[in-house]
Amino acid sequence: CRPDQVAEAADSTETAGGVTATAAEQTGLAVGTPVITGTGDSTSEAISAGLVEPGTVFFQFGSSMFFYYLTDRFLDDYSSACGNGSIKGGKVFTVPGTFCLGDGTNAAGTLTRWVRDVFYRNERENEKNGGENAYAIMAKEAGEVRAGSDGLVMLPYIYGERSPIQDPMAQGILFGLKGSHGRKEINRAALEAVGYSVYQHLLLFREM
């Protein structure tokens, strides 16, 4: 794009203009109502959850997982001296006077959904016909497996990975698989995989 094709950059809280007569007619808003630049969906959610002070962190769980770590100073992209990974950094945050590290992991809810679609197909079909929710069944079964999934470990990189390894070619792995393992252990290992990802990020923040 040429510079004249995009809007001028401005702080999120800066007034970009006012509601025009045409927009007022379409929306019911008063002409001239101030319109701020605004911010992204995850940023708005983070603020609504209380991410307004440096030293706090916000984790957003969904299909993927995103986080913001709020600081009082600018930080360049960060690579761990311990080899635990890296975080993309150096963004001015929406709250004036603050900065943030922001990054995410590609598979959180999508990993759980993959387990459901592969190992809980009958339960999913029964759910469509008025049966119990398949995810509820998965939660019960995961609770029947002790922490550690009987030695079964999963790497959740089924769609590559952003932080902490920053590798779009990364692939998921199940290792420690034994004949005694079944879908319950795989289900639990997937949940624990997301937990390990959270822990990796907490270690990075702590190191910083």
Side-chain angles (χ1 to χ4, degrees):
C1 293
R2 299 188 313 272
D4 64 316
Q5 292 177 304
V6 295
E8 182 181 346
D11 288 336
S12 298
T13 54
E14 189 174 325
T15 300
V19 173
T20 64
T22 302
E25 185 178 334
Q26 294 172 343
T27 64
L29 297 171
V31 174
T33 300
V35 178
I36 64 170
T37 305
T39 187
D41 52 356
S42 294
T43 311
S44 298
E45 186 173 339
I47 293 171
S48 73
L51 189 75
V52 295
E53 296 180 357
T56 54
V57 65
F58 167 76
F59 283 87
Q60 178 190 55
F61 287 84
S63 298
S64 61
M65 180 171 64
F66 200 82
F67 62 80
Y68 283 117
Y69 181 66
L70 209 58
T71 70
D72 59 0
R73 63 192 185 281
F74 181 85
L75 292 166
D76 291 327
D77 289 2
Y78 177 79
S79 294
S80 168
C82 297
N84 288 328
S86 64
I87 297 174
K88 301 294 185 184
K91 299 177 187 172
V92 176
F93 195 61
T94 301
V95 178
T98 64
F99 303 84
C100 73
L101 296 171
D103 221 325
T105 184
N106 280 345
T110 51
L111 187 63
T112 308
R113 184 176 61 202
W114 175 81
V115 171
R116 182 199 65 176
D117 292 349
V118 174
F119 298 100
Y120 290 82
R121 291 177 180 173
N122 290 338
E123 287 74 12
R124 190 180 180 197
E125 287 302 314
N126 291 337
E127 179 186 337
K128 293 177 182 177
N129 297 317
E132 187 176 2
N133 181 277
Y135 286 123
I137 296 172
M138 291 170 64
K140 291 177 185 175
E141 291 196 357
E144 296 169 1
V145 180
R146 295 197 317 181
S149 304
D150 190 27
L152 185 63
V153 178
M154 181 183 289
L155 299 184
Y157 313 137
I158 59 174
Y159 297 111
E161 187 56 299
R162 286 179 286 177
S163 62
I165 65 173
Q166 308 296 349
D167 184 359
M169 303 305 293
Q171 297 179 353
I173 295 174
L174 265 174
F175 59 95
L177 189 63
K178 299 184 293 188
S180 60
H181 290 149
R183 73 178 190 178
K184 290 183 181 181
E185 287 77 18
I186 294 173
N187 174 21
R188 172 87 187 202
L191 296 175
E192 291 181 345
V194 178
Y196 293 143
S197 183
V198 171
Y199 184 57
Q200 280 186 301
H201 290 104
L202 290 175
L203 288 177
L204 286 168
F205 295 147
R206 197 171 297 160
E207 184 180 328
M208 295 166 66

